[in-house]
Amino acid sequence: MIEVNALKPFQRAVFLDRDGVINVEKCYLHRIEDFEFLPGAPEALRLLKEAGFLLVVVTNQSGVARGYYTLEAVHELHRHLQNELKPYAAAIDGFYICPHHPEHGSGKFAADCSCRKPLPGMLEQAVADFRIDPAQSYLVGDKLSDIEAGHAVGCRCLLVKTGYGDISAEAAPKDVTIVDDLLAAARSIIGEETPGI
Ligand SMILES: [Mg+2]
Ligand SMILES: [Zn+2]
């Protein structure tokens, strides 16, 4: 008996950190009225989608463990994000959230976990869920902890200068592409796929 999954071809994905990459970093963002796209971000997502990439958000949300907001508030914000992306036909294919923190807060989310970046748990889960080939996939983040998670699963990584991404080219690991923002990241990724564009 052949497993159905085995017949499905591998998919390519772009793993996306959320805060500081897609939307303006606002330090524990959780209220919908505070949500604000970074310039060009929806267009970037559309370009990637059109190029055949799955869009997978991987976001550390330790604000949940710290008791600043609930996991339901995170889901609510993501529903809002999807709505805002509708005019761009650039729906996010999967949201992976780490609500944990190893030291801060209390309750069930104040725990060590394998999903908090720089650990690659969220990416590994997405790889399994969507049958993603990491070698044909990318990660875009604004922190070195994002990049570390991307490298751990073997995808190519881009660091944006928006959000916390104020790292100098000299300080970045050699195998990281530094770009201004998500739109530049999308163009770089697509340009690599189809030289000449
Ligand atoms: Mg970020
Ligand atoms: Zn976690």
Side-chain angles (χ1 to χ4, degrees):
M1 170 128 177
I2 302 164
E3 208 186 304
V4 175
N5 223 14
L7 299 171
K8 247 169 85 181
F10 278 114
Q11 307 203 73
R12 300 183 309 165
V14 178
F15 297 105
L16 300 143
D17 176 48
R18 193 193 78 187
D19 301 328
V21 174
I22 296 175
N23 53 270
V24 178
E25 165 64 60
K26 292 198 176 168
C27 199
Y28 299 112
L29 169 73
H30 61 287
R31 295 190 316 184
I32 284 168
E33 55 268 38
D34 295 333
F35 179 88
E36 198 185 329
F37 277 123
L38 280 159
E43 291 81 0
L45 296 174
R46 180 173 53 198
L47 283 177
L48 293 170
K49 192 108 186 177
E50 281 173 357
F53 288 98
L54 288 170
L55 304 178
V56 179
V57 168
V58 287
T59 180
N60 281 0
Q61 292 297 326
S62 74
V64 177
R66 295 169 196 261
Y68 298 165
Y69 46 88
T70 63
L71 189 53
E72 180 48 39
V74 180
H75 293 313
E76 185 71 41
L77 193 78
H78 290 170
R79 284 193 285 272
H80 174 72
L81 168 54
Q82 289 286 51
N83 262 331
E84 295 291 293
L85 285 174
K86 269 193 187 139
Y88 299 91
I92 303 296
D93 296 286
F95 286 97
Y96 292 82
I97 304 158
C98 169
H100 308 108
H101 195 280
E103 294 121 39
H104 297 291
S106 59
K108 61 177 172 175
F109 296 128
D112 253 325
C113 67
S114 57
C115 46
R116 181 173 164 79
K117 293 174 288 183
L119 294 176
M122 292 189 283
L123 288 82
E124 287 170 348
Q125 188 60 51
V127 163
D129 291 347
F130 289 99
R131 200 172 159 78
I132 291 166
D133 178 5
Q136 295 187 63
S137 299
Y138 296 82
L139 172 135
V140 186
D142 68 322
K143 280 186 177 176
L144 285 176
S145 54
D146 299 318
I147 304 300
E148 226 177 286
H151 279 157
V153 297
C155 56
R156 279 167 280 179
C157 296
L158 298 94
L159 187 74
V160 291
K161 293 179 185 167
T162 47
Y164 290 107
D166 53 359
I167 194 158
S168 69
E170 298 80 55
K174 276 200 178 56
D175 42 1
V176 172
T177 306
I178 299 181
V179 290
D180 282 340
D181 56 16
L182 186 54
L183 191 53
R187 288 183 176 141
S188 166
I189 290 168
I190 293 165
E192 226 171 273
E193 300 287 313
T194 47
I197 284 187

